[in-house]
Amino acid sequence: KKRRMHAQCVSRALRHVAVTCCQRTPEEKLQQFLNAPLIDPLTDGMDEPEALRWFKALVRQDYYLAEAIWAGLYISICLIFAQQLVHLYKANLIASGRVFPW
């Protein structure tokens, strides 16, 4: 019943695409999700935040600088997250009274 409703919404020219879309495996759906770009620099939406529009313009003008900024932000966020995990581990170790874990 769900496929029938889905096929009614799609024009006759695209019915075969809708059926194959419904028959994809979870692995194929995951691959499609992972292959989709996080930021598409070629689209220019006015409803996007100013920082995102600035970054997209930077990608179009100077790709290598934008890539360095993106990598630096990603590594910084990962580093802050790792520091917070170490801080939590140390705080729980000291609170339990065991200063040395061995």
Side-chain angles (χ1 to χ4, degrees):
K1 185 174 180 179
K2 187 175 181 182
R3 264 198 202 153
R4 191 176 328 139
M5 287 179 66
H6 185 68
Q8 289 173 353
C9 296
V10 179
S11 68
R12 289 187 179 267
L14 298 176
R15 276 196 188 171
H16 68 283
V17 174
V19 171
T20 57
C21 174
C22 295
Q23 294 176 348
R24 286 187 298 162
T25 64
E27 291 83 16
E28 290 172 342
K29 290 179 183 179
L30 177 65
Q31 284 300 320
Q32 181 185 9
F33 173 74
L34 293 175
N35 289 336
L38 184 62
I39 296 175
D40 187 12
L42 300 178
T43 61
D44 216 10
M46 294 308 292
D47 57 342
E48 296 172 341
E50 180 69 29
L52 183 60
R53 283 187 279 156
W54 173 82
F55 188 75
K56 285 182 175 184
L58 182 65
V59 169
R60 288 190 296 266
Q61 294 169 0
D62 189 1
Y63 180 79
Y64 295 111
L65 178 62
E67 187 177 28
I69 291 172
W70 181 261
L73 286 174
Y74 180 77
I75 290 172
S76 298
I77 290 170
C78 290
L79 184 62
I80 290 169
F81 181 72
Q83 287 176 340
Q84 291 301 315
L85 285 179
V86 169
H87 176 72
L88 285 172
Y89 175 74
K90 287 172 67 175
N92 287 331
L93 204 72
I94 293 171
S96 67
R98 293 176 50 213
V99 179
F100 298 105
W102 52 87

